[in-house]
Amino acid sequence: MFVIREALYQLYFDPEMERKNVAQKWLTQAQTSAQAWQFCWALLGPDKLPEVQFFGASTLHTKISRHWSDLPTDQHESLRMQLLSHILHFSSGPRMVLTRLCVALAAMALNLIPQAWSQPVADMVRAFQPQKPDSEGGSGAEATQDPHAHCLALLELLTVLPEEFQSSRLAQARRAQLREALAGEWAAVCPMLRQLLQSQDSSNQVKEKVLRCLSSWVGLDVPLGESHELVQDCFTALSNPELFDAAVETIVNAISQPDCQRYIDALVNLMPLVLGLHDQLKKAAQDGDMETSHGICRIAVAMGETHSRVLLEQVEHWQEYLALVNMILFCTGIPGHYPVSETTSSLTLTFWYTLQDDILSFEEQKQAVYLQVYRPVYFQLVDVLLHKSHYPSQEDYASWSSDDKEQFRIYRVDISDTLMYVYEMLGAELLSNLYDRLGRQLMDPQQSAVWQDTEALLFGFQSIAETIDVNYSDVIPGLIGLIPRINISNVMLADTVMYTIGSLAEWLADHPVMLGGILPMVLQGLVKAELSVSSVSTLKRICRECRHDLGPYAQDILTVSQDVLLKEVHKSSQCMWLMQALGFLLSALPVEEILVRLHTLVTPHVQQLDTLAQQEPNPSNKQSIIHILGMMSSLFTTLDINRQADNLEGASSPRLAPSQSTQNPVVVVLQQVFTLIRTILSKWLDDSEVVEAVCGVFDKSVRTLLHDFGPMVAQLSGMLGQIYSAFPQASALDLARQMVHIFAGEEHHISNIRSLIELLTSTTLTIFQQGPRDHPDIAESFMHLHAQVGILSLKFPETPTVKAAGLFFTELLPRCKDVPSLGDVLQRDGKLLTETILQAVGGGSPRSLTEHFSEVLLSLNRHCPALLSQWLKETLQTPGFPSAHVSTEQKHTFSQQLLREQTNKRRVKEIVKEFSLLCRGLQGSGY
């Protein structure tokens, strides 16, 4: 006993964490010991500290809930009496000890109900009745105890009983049995709770406990039909400020049970009470009482959202439900700015989705009736949402915290999503409505002085145009005509104007005649640093979607863009986007024009790079070098002259093939700056960020140009080999992998690629001999490179090559689980490997090689069956792959047979051989 007290003092009062942990561990073991049944009572002695008493009560709960079977049946009754007696004794506190003892008795009840304890609630209520002093066995001490405290203790016990049931681990059958038994006890609990809630003598403390008790029992799905009068009584508690929060929580819990829908009469009876809160709600909104309006809104939304379909179907009560919908609309439009002076409106947004879904799910005739009633409400909703999306005045907005601004941004995104959803119900009329209002506003100087109104209407347009195809809307030409009339001196309005233009980029591609009126506005925004993100992203969208019609404006776009780049108006990431926009723009110009304009664009940056290359390395010029190289990478990501040839339908003459005299403009520029890049590398070779930026320029160019990049292969292979030999870095290996992927199959490049791979491999193996663990990034990129080489080798017709490639994969795959970098390789290249093998088996390679492919498939199935199953499914669903001779059913059979075999090599060979014959149309032909 003494030792336990010592350990508890150590746990609660010792400042050293390590000793606390030792005490905690020892006490946990003590609780599981057989002696715990005895020592827990001693710890509950009246002379002990509350912390010691709490441990005693917790020990009791642990023993009852986890070691119940250790207690002989004949001791159950005395344990119950002891527990009840202690609960009565602790009814005046300490609170934490009382709650723990109640939880222990609840755990005991769950062990005994229903067979060994048939009426637990009635017995508990009886035990807490005030004792008469002369009653048999009455100690006198308990008789003088406070009946108020007894009442609270009983309510605590009844509250924790369902909670203990919810948190206990129980077998499914036992859980169902207990749930039924407890639901049966509700008939005894409910009248008592009603009596206490209605009684004039009950204190606020008792009434609050009653509300929490009801909330706890509601979680057991007790029928609303049997308790709706009690729920109705809870509404009276809403007028008491001390009980308001608990009453809201209880009412919301009670009416949010989906099970309530079985009790339609009860729901209909509650409706007038919910509607009766409207005056209290309006007053709270008027007084700026956020807590009250928030609580009432939660009740209205719980009623409207959980039961919208059921209540819509009560046709004779349609006016009441419409009144509830309007009450929720009032909550959506509650005065004040979210989240600074109100936090209620955001609770209502999902309700509008639910109501719309339910209305649109009715059959056509019924739907038409509901739309007649609710479409006008949804038009009002659009007005309300646009009003709620208004920015505050600039002075107010400047005083908001960054957290408030971020919450407001997210709130506007939620409003935007709601507007987009509502479009499904309101259709084209919604856009016409917005357009008419915008027109009236911009024509009236008094109205257009309030920039927030214009911004909100454009925000509504943009929300819809961003995701819904507005190509067929007849108001867009008018909108495009109105936009240039907007004064964009306010930054927030200007931002929204930019995003609205961006959302209409696809429409502009179909109506290029409108570009002339809009582009000057975008370019006007481009020169302002505060509009950086919106103006650059909008220009990028226009250049991507409308590039074939931008010829007449190319000079203006390039001049303004070059100017803002040289003046460093934008941050680095926006400069990258701007370069991507210019890449799209240049791609669509005539070939002979591209090179001239490309030179004009990159020359100032190349000159700056040249100056930086002459300087001694330091942190500031390093960032400038990386920035300029990044801009070139971004430009070359989108500058693709072949894309135009693909897009121009019926183009009279195809673009020049790479073998002809004209070189790709990107290649011309790369060849001109090659020496400069070598100079940079000579000074920054040991800096992985600079090397990565250099490799990025070539990597993006290879990916975009593909075979057009050919003239650079010899130079780049040589340079990559030199970089890597001097200072091995993952980015060089990643670039080599791209080159292998594209050029390894080309006769005149093969010797350069082979020499490069040999050099990279021998250098890497030297590093690995010193310890590969220090270079996980190199190990990963090296394996990616070799997986790429391996996959290519599997396509060769020569047996030794395919055999070696197969061996590479069967050695690699078993190690993928243990080596994370190999696991990444598998995730990234596994599908391509599977596809390559199936293509070879299906007729792409000689039939004599099938057994080597079957070994790789077996290895894949043994070491990553789930992934193989997914890859087979994805690759074989392509029609006609790997051969037109096999049906979908035959492919499915092959997959199933293969995935079943994880050990039998001979069987896998047979399955693959049979599939290969089917693919070649040779099955049953005597082979």
Side-chain angles (χ1 to χ4, degrees):
M1 217 7 246
F2 174 74
V3 184
I4 289 173
R5 282 217 309 276
E6 282 290 293
L8 282 166
Y9 283 114
Q10 200 169 312
L11 176 66
Y12 289 118
F13 307 114
D14 196 312
E16 273 195 46
M17 206 60 213
E18 207 170 315
R19 286 163 66 157
K20 277 182 185 293
N21 291 341
V22 170
Q24 170 92 44
K25 202 170 175 185
W26 187 87
L27 286 164
T28 307
Q29 285 171 335
Q31 280 185 322
T32 59
S33 68
Q35 294 80 19
W37 288 108
Q38 282 74 47
F39 73 61
C40 60
W41 300 111
L43 295 175
L44 284 161
D47 56 333
K48 302 292 184 292
L49 278 174
E51 288 84 358
V52 175
Q53 294 171 331
F54 178 76
F55 182 74
S58 293
T59 302
L60 253 175
H61 175 244
T62 302
K63 298 308 288 180
I64 291 169
S65 57
R66 293 189 197 156
H67 307 122
W68 180 246
S69 57
D70 299 350
L71 191 72
T73 314
D74 58 2
Q75 291 180 28
H76 288 179
E77 186 55 30
S78 65
L79 175 65
R80 186 168 74 177
M81 297 316 292
Q82 257 181 306
L83 262 172
L84 280 167
S85 157
H86 275 76
I87 289 171
L88 284 167
H89 173 76
F90 279 98
S91 61
S92 302
R95 174 75 194 276
M96 62 178 183
V97 183
L98 171 67
T99 300
R100 215 76 203 117
L101 287 169
C102 288
V103 172
L105 183 57
M108 182 176 182
L110 295 181
N111 284 322
L112 297 173
I113 296 171
Q115 291 86 353
W117 195 355
S118 56
Q119 293 181 309
V121 171
D123 292 347
M124 288 171 187
V125 172
R126 200 174 305 112
F128 283 85
Q129 296 294 334
Q131 303 285 318
K132 291 191 176 65
D134 58 350
S135 70
E136 202 180 322
S139 63
E142 281 172 4
T144 59
Q145 283 211 353
D146 179 4
H148 180 249
H150 280 198
C151 180
L152 287 172
L154 173 61
L155 287 168
E156 179 70 15
L157 181 54
L158 293 176
T159 303
V160 300
L161 183 59
E163 289 172 355
E164 181 66 8
F165 166 74
Q166 302 284 22
S167 63
S168 295
R169 282 196 201 147
L170 298 161
Q172 205 172 349
R174 176 66 179 147
R175 181 171 287 280
Q177 183 192 31
L178 269 177
R179 184 184 286 279
E180 193 182 341
L182 287 172
E185 292 293 296
W186 177 240
V189 178
C190 188
M192 185 184 77
L193 295 183
R194 274 205 83 183
Q195 190 188 342
L196 287 170
L197 200 55
Q198 289 176 342
S199 166
Q200 298 291 316
D201 301 332
S202 296
S203 66
N204 278 347
Q205 209 181 349
V206 166
K207 286 181 177 177
E208 187 181 348
K209 214 79 197 93
V210 167
L211 291 166
R212 300 213 182 282
C213 187
L214 168 57
S215 224
S216 175
W217 281 81
V218 158
L220 294 176
D221 296 337
V222 293
L224 183 66
E226 291 172 26
S227 46
H228 73 274
E229 284 129 330
L230 176 55
V231 177
Q232 286 175 6
D233 294 340
C234 296
F235 279 83
T236 56
L238 290 168
S239 54
N240 181 335
E242 285 184 44
L243 299 177
F244 182 82
D245 289 346
V248 167
E249 208 58 51
T250 303
I251 294 168
V252 168
N253 283 344
I255 57 184
S256 296
Q257 301 295 325
D259 188 54
C260 297
Q261 295 179 4
R262 300 215 312 267
Y263 308 100
I264 291 169
D265 291 345
L267 282 172
V268 169
N269 289 337
L270 288 174
M271 187 70 102
L273 294 172
V274 178
L275 295 175
L277 299 172
H278 206 151
D279 288 341
Q280 192 181 350
L281 170 67
K282 282 181 182 165
K283 186 176 182 329
Q286 204 175 335
D287 300 345
D289 175 356
M290 280 161 75
E291 282 174 26
T292 302
S293 49
H294 197 87
I296 293 174
C297 174
R298 282 183 63 202
I299 292 171
V301 169
M303 189 72 163
E305 193 170 343
T306 315
H307 310 296
S308 87
R309 191 176 179 94
V310 167
L311 293 169
L312 278 169
E313 286 175 331
Q314 306 314 303
V315 182
E316 65 279 18
H317 296 284
W318 72 272
Q319 283 166 305
E320 284 184 7
Y321 189 57
L322 180 59
L324 178 67
V325 172
N326 278 312
M327 184 174 170
I328 294 172
L329 183 63
F330 176 84
C331 294
T332 307
I334 205 153
H337 261 111
Y338 183 92
V340 175
S341 50
E342 70 91 1
T343 53
T344 300
S345 57
S346 63
L347 302 176
T348 64
L349 297 180
T350 54
F351 164 74
W352 299 107
Y353 286 72
T354 307
L355 177 60
Q356 178 174 315
D357 286 347
D358 286 336
I359 290 171
L360 297 181
S361 69
F362 287 124
E363 48 83 21
E364 213 169 320
Q365 275 181 306
K366 203 170 178 184
Q367 192 185 112
V369 177
Y370 284 108
L371 285 174
Q372 212 173 343
V373 177
Y374 286 102
R375 261 174 71 93
V377 178
Y378 271 82
F379 274 113
Q380 275 178 281
L381 171 67
V382 171
D383 288 351
V384 165
L385 290 174
L386 292 177
H387 184 72
K388 292 300 291 182
S389 70
H390 274 198
Y391 278 98
S393 71
Q394 278 180 295
E395 300 75 50
D396 285 353
Y397 192 65
S399 71
W400 284 17
S401 69
S402 57
D403 190 38
D404 285 340
K405 286 177 179 173
E406 177 58 11
Q407 278 197 50
F408 182 59
R409 186 191 68 76
I410 293 167
Y411 175 65
R412 278 176 51 110
V413 170
D414 292 341
I415 287 180
S416 176
D417 291 345
T418 311
L419 288 168
M420 179 194 82
Y421 205 76
V422 165
Y423 181 83
E424 190 186 344
M425 186 189 263
L426 303 181
E429 198 182 333
L430 171 56
L431 289 177
S432 305
N433 193 313
L434 294 175
Y435 171 65
D436 293 342
R437 284 174 58 185
L438 186 64
R440 284 199 300 275
Q441 218 171 72
L442 293 175
M443 297 305 167
D444 178 347
Q446 272 187 311
Q447 283 191 35
S448 57
V450 184
W451 66 266
Q452 285 96 333
D453 292 343
T454 309
E455 192 280 333
L457 286 168
L458 284 174
F459 170 73
F461 257 116
Q462 180 216 328
S463 302
I464 295 160
E466 201 62 72
T467 40
I468 284 158
D469 182 3
V470 291
N471 270 8
Y472 307 105
S473 167
D474 52 1
V475 302
I476 303 297
L479 173 65
I480 297 274
L482 283 176
I483 285 176
R485 300 181 67 102
I486 298 170
N487 173 358
I488 60 168
S489 55
N490 176 282
V491 174
M492 287 141 183
L493 172 57
D495 251 338
T496 304
V497 168
M498 291 300 150
Y499 286 127
T500 306
I501 296 171
S503 70
L504 297 170
E506 286 181 40
W507 186 91
L508 286 165
D510 292 336
H511 306 83
V513 70
M514 306 298 275
L515 279 164
I518 281 289
L519 261 175
M521 247 185 140
V522 179
L523 297 178
Q524 194 186 334
L526 200 63
V527 300
K528 298 181 178 175
E530 63 274 20
L531 299 181
S532 183
V533 177
S534 59
S535 62
V536 174
S537 66
T538 296
L539 182 63
K540 182 179 165 185
R541 287 176 82 166
I542 289 175
C543 288
R544 185 179 64 216
E545 300 300 335
C546 313
R547 59 180 175 271
H548 300 299
D549 300 295
L550 291 177
Y553 316 106
Q555 185 58 55
D556 290 348
I557 295 172
L558 284 160
T559 305
V560 176
S561 300
Q562 183 70 291
D563 189 47
V564 298
L565 286 169
L566 293 174
K567 287 181 180 164
E568 298 182 359
V569 171
H570 302 291
K571 287 184 179 158
S572 188
S573 53
Q574 274 72 57
C575 293
M576 305 305 153
W577 292 0
L578 184 49
M579 279 303 213
Q580 286 178 11
L582 300 178
F584 285 125
L585 173 69
L586 292 173
S587 301
L589 296 178
V591 174
E592 59 282 1
E593 209 180 304
I594 294 178
L595 191 56
V596 179
R597 292 198 181 278
L598 182 57
H599 265 137
T600 312
L601 176 62
V602 299
T603 300
H605 305 289
V606 171
Q607 286 169 346
Q608 199 183 345
L609 198 58
D610 196 17
T611 309
L612 291 163
Q614 308 311 320
Q615 297 170 3
E616 280 309 303
N618 68 56
S620 86
N621 62 21
K622 169 183 164 177
Q623 285 316 313
S624 303
I625 288 170
I626 289 173
H627 173 73
I628 295 169
L629 291 170
M631 289 205 301
M632 291 175 76
S633 298
S634 299
L635 177 64
F636 298 155
T637 304
T638 54
L639 207 172
D640 181 6
I641 62 172
N642 293 319
R643 193 191 275 124
Q644 185 187 10
D646 299 341
N647 286 3
L648 291 178
E649 292 162 40
S652 53
S653 60
R655 285 287 169 122
L656 297 172
S659 58
Q660 289 171 282
S661 56
T662 311
Q663 279 198 341
N664 189 297
V666 173
V667 171
V668 175
V669 170
L670 285 174
Q671 286 176 331
Q672 288 168 350
V673 298
F674 202 80
T675 313
L676 171 56
I677 284 177
R678 293 191 82 114
T679 309
I680 291 169
L681 281 174
S682 66
K683 292 194 174 180
W684 292 93
L685 194 54
D686 57 350
D687 189 301
S688 60
E689 288 176 68
V690 175
V691 174
E692 196 173 321
V694 167
C695 290
V697 174
F698 293 106
D699 184 78
K700 296 290 190 291
S701 308
V702 174
R703 286 168 188 265
T704 309
L705 303 184
L706 302 175
H707 296 281
D708 280 6
F709 188 83
M712 295 293 302
V713 170
Q715 276 174 294
L716 186 56
S717 300
M719 185 178 86
L720 266 182
Q722 288 168 347
I723 295 177
Y724 196 76
S725 307
F727 202 86
Q729 288 179 36
S731 51
L733 293 171
D734 294 335
L735 175 52
R737 187 165 59 90
Q738 283 303 328
M739 290 169 70
V740 168
H741 181 57
I742 293 158
F743 297 108
E746 293 191 11
E747 200 68 36
H748 51 294
H749 292 307
I750 194 75
S751 64
N752 286 314
I753 299 288
R754 186 188 294 119
S755 308
L756 175 60
I757 298 298
E758 284 170 2
L759 180 59
L760 296 176
T761 304
S762 63
T763 308
T764 308
L765 293 175
T766 311
I767 301 171
F768 285 0
Q769 280 160 3
Q770 296 156 10
R773 292 234 170 268
D774 303 336
H775 307 280
D777 55 336
I778 289 180
E780 184 178 336
S781 295
F782 182 69
M783 292 320 301
H784 276 305
L785 171 63
H786 278 273
Q788 187 76 61
V789 174
I791 290 168
L792 283 168
S793 307
L794 286 172
K795 297 179 179 176
F796 279 53
E798 291 84 2
T799 303
T801 312
V802 172
K803 192 174 178 182
L807 185 62
F808 169 74
F809 286 111
T810 52
E811 286 291 325
L812 178 84
L813 291 166
R815 292 167 177 77
C816 286
K817 265 201 180 74
D818 308 324
V819 184
S821 58
L822 293 184
D824 292 342
V825 172
L826 181 65
Q827 290 281 355
R828 189 156 144 188
D829 295 325
K831 185 181 171 185
L832 181 60
L833 173 62
T834 309
E835 196 177 317
T836 305
I837 291 172
L838 291 174
Q839 202 169 7
V841 167
S845 292
R847 214 159 39 81
S848 56
L849 301 175
T850 307
E851 71 173 271
H852 303 299
F853 298 127
S854 68
E855 284 178 13
V856 181
L857 286 171
L858 174 63
S859 188
L860 280 166
N861 197 25
R862 192 175 285 169
H863 301 292
C864 51
L867 287 169
L868 178 63
S869 169
Q870 181 191 327
W871 294 328
L872 285 170
K873 190 177 170 186
E874 287 170 9
T875 49
L876 288 174
Q877 69 186 10
T878 309
F881 179 86
S883 155
H885 291 292
V886 280
S887 64
T888 308
E889 203 175 321
Q890 287 170 322
K891 289 195 271 191
H892 179 70
T893 306
F894 165 67
S895 291
Q896 296 307 101
Q897 287 178 333
L898 182 64
L899 291 167
R900 271 199 292 271
E901 295 299 336
Q902 289 194 333
T903 49
N904 190 333
K905 195 186 268 193
R906 185 184 53 78
R907 178 73 188 116
V908 172
K909 282 182 183 174
E910 283 171 10
I911 294 165
V912 175
K913 183 180 174 184
E914 195 174 319
F915 186 64
S916 183
L917 290 171
L918 273 175
C919 288
R920 295 162 201 263
L922 300 174
Q923 183 68 316
S925 61
Y927 271 95

